[in-house]
Each structure stands twice: as C-alpha cells, then as structure tokens.
Amino acid sequence: MRQGAQGSADTGTPWASAAAAAEPAGPARVPQQAGAVRGEHTHSEPPAPAVPVVPRARPVVQRASVRGQILNALRAALVAGDLRPGEVYSAPVLGERFGVSATPVREAMQQLALEGAVEVVPNRGFRVVERGVRELAELAEVRALIEVPVMLRLARTVPAERWAEMRPLAEATVRAASTGCRATYAESDRGFHRAVLSLSGNEQLVQIAEDLHRRAQWPLVGGGPAIRGRADLVADAHEHTALLDALIARDLDVVRALVGEHFAGAAVAGA
C-alpha cells in the first residue's frame, strides 16, 4: 500500500458518528379531573397515580469496534507487506483508503507504535519500523525459551483426546497456507499456537507468546528471507499436524525435535 498525498483532510464516517442524545423528559403531568380546581380535593374517585418516566436510551457509539477493525486491517497489511518498512504513512490518507476518518486510524497506529511495529514521525504520520535478520533470530530464540519447556510439560500431562480436538486448527493452518497469503496464514498460525499454549492455564504466558509471535511475522527490510512462497508456508503448516501426532503419541523426543526445528525455521523465515 503506497502512501498518497500527506495533506488530505479527514473524512467523516458513519461508524464514528452518532446522533446527539436527547435529554430525558421531566416528570409527566397528571391531568386534572373535570370540575376540579387547583388545591381542591375531589371525593368521587381517588387521584390518578403518577406515571413513571422511563429515560430514553442513549445511542451506543461503536467506536472501539471501528478502531479494532482498523487495527486488524493494518496488522494484516503489515504482514502482507502492503505497509513497507521505512515508509511513512499519514492517518488521513490511510483513513481515506479505509473509508473512515483519521481518528480511528491514528488510534490504531498508536497501538502499533506501542507494539513496536511503527514509530511516530511528528507532523507527518507513522513510519514502519525497519528490522533485520538479527532481530528476527532474537525473537525466535526468546519464543523457544518460553514455549519449548511449556510444550514438553504439556506433552507429559495433557491427554491424547485433548490434542485430537485441536486437529481442525492444525488443518486450518494448512488450508490457510495453501492460499499463499502471508496475512491469512499468519492469523491461522497464531491461532494454533495460542490454543496449544492456552492448555497451560497461564493467560500471561499466552499473551506474551502471542505478542512475540506477531512481531516475528513482520516483514524485514527489503523483504529478505521472510518473503516465502506458498510451498514454504505449507511446509511450515504441516509441522503443526506432525506435532499433534507426536503429542497424541506422547513421543517426547519427536516433540522436542519438531518444536526445535519449527523455531529454527522461524529464526530465518518469520513464521
């Protein structure tokens, strides 16, 4: 995705707008009985009870969902290489491409800045961070230090039927890889790893591992070895099904070898 003119104005969006909420009505007036005078009490029938007033519901602005959709779209564009390392992108221009105002784009980009994917360029926008093979190898090493011991512990404790339940996720990664789309495969790949690590019952570990995994999927400067074809993606995905087979059989040696090879490949391929 190439950057357009930097001076584009923000565009409005129905997602980010909502009608102003009306003020709730005051207490309802009770009609006076026929022939009654203010201050008089009539004995023919009891006074009518006051009618309770129900405040009008205020419209719900789905601002967070818009920002989330834009964030997911930007992440996919980043993995696919549509947002290129070293280039600067402005929120108004990206907003025009997504059909939204600059505000949710800017908020999503600020989240990507917190994740280390982009950096803020004052008065210009956001620059996609440039990174090399060394950073990719360091990420793979940290992921291995976290995930390999957990995987081996799970291999000893999780029953075979639980692993069998994850086969659809592993097969989904193969189908995603067969499309040749890096963004599609990246999401499916993270989903499989997340499901496996969730069996540990440690949510903090799952979140940290997924953050590292996402960062490992960002493209390198000039493409590099991280740009892989469909055959490479499919080969990587088949390691998931082979790993499940070893986990079901509780073959710890094969599990250790497969996980080690998986992260060794990630160190040079961005998987």
Side-chain angles (χ1 to χ4, degrees):
M1 174 170 18
R2 288 288 183 177
Q3 179 186 12
Q6 295 290 328
S8 301
D10 291 5
T11 58
T13 169
W15 293 338
S17 64
E23 292 296 327
R29 296 182 180 273
V30 180
Q32 291 183 339
Q33 301 177 37
V37 181
R38 183 181 300 273
E40 265 189 338
H41 178 65
T42 57
H43 298 279
S44 57
E45 55 185 62
V51 179
V53 177
V54 179
R56 300 178 188 176
R58 294 180 180 273
V60 178
V61 180
Q62 300 295 335
R63 176 65 170 276
S65 65
V66 176
R67 181 179 59 184
Q69 293 174 42
I70 297 301
L71 178 59
N72 290 337
L74 289 172
R75 283 172 172 166
L78 188 68
V79 174
D82 295 330
L83 294 179
R84 305 187 179 213
E87 293 195 12
V88 178
Y89 297 88
S90 73
V93 171
L94 290 175
E96 290 180 358
R97 297 185 181 184
F98 286 118
V100 300
S101 70
T103 300
V105 175
R106 187 176 293 110
E107 292 173 346
M109 278 294 202
Q110 288 170 346
Q111 176 60 38
L112 288 178
L114 292 176
E115 296 175 4
V118 300
E119 56 188 8
V120 178
V121 181
N123 302 319
R124 292 187 60 194
F126 301 86
R127 178 185 291 113
V128 179
V129 171
E130 300 177 272
R131 67 196 191 108
V133 176
R134 178 175 179 176
E135 181 179 346
L136 189 63
E138 290 174 350
L139 285 169
E141 181 180 4
V142 175
R143 289 182 62 203
L145 290 172
I146 293 176
E147 295 190 39
V148 172
V150 175
M151 193 79 70
L152 291 174
R153 174 167 60 85
L154 294 176
R156 298 185 184 95
T157 58
V158 175
E161 55 268 22
R162 291 296 302 278
W163 295 121
E165 292 172 359
M166 292 192 178
R167 191 167 295 280
L169 288 175
E171 294 172 347
T173 66
V174 177
R175 290 193 299 272
S178 66
T179 67
C181 175
R182 281 184 54 82
T184 300
Y185 177 66
E187 182 176 357
S188 182
D189 184 30
R190 287 198 313 274
F192 175 80
H193 282 263
R194 181 171 58 249
V196 169
L197 293 178
S198 67
L199 295 178
S200 69
N202 188 330
E203 184 60 30
Q204 298 303 315
L205 180 147
V206 173
Q207 292 180 8
I208 292 173
E210 182 163 11
D211 177 65
L212 292 170
H213 196 169
R214 180 179 285 111
R215 291 172 61 187
Q217 293 171 332
W218 298 338
L220 302 181
V221 175
I227 300 301
R228 300 183 295 169
R230 178 179 302 167
D232 295 320
L233 296 179
V234 171
D236 187 81
H238 276 301
E239 292 181 0
H240 297 150
T241 57
L243 177 61
L244 276 184
D245 291 338
L247 289 167
I248 291 173
R250 288 200 172 182
D251 192 331
L252 299 185
D253 291 335
V254 174
V255 169
R256 185 181 291 104
L258 285 172
V259 175
E261 291 173 5
H262 195 66
F263 283 112
V268 296

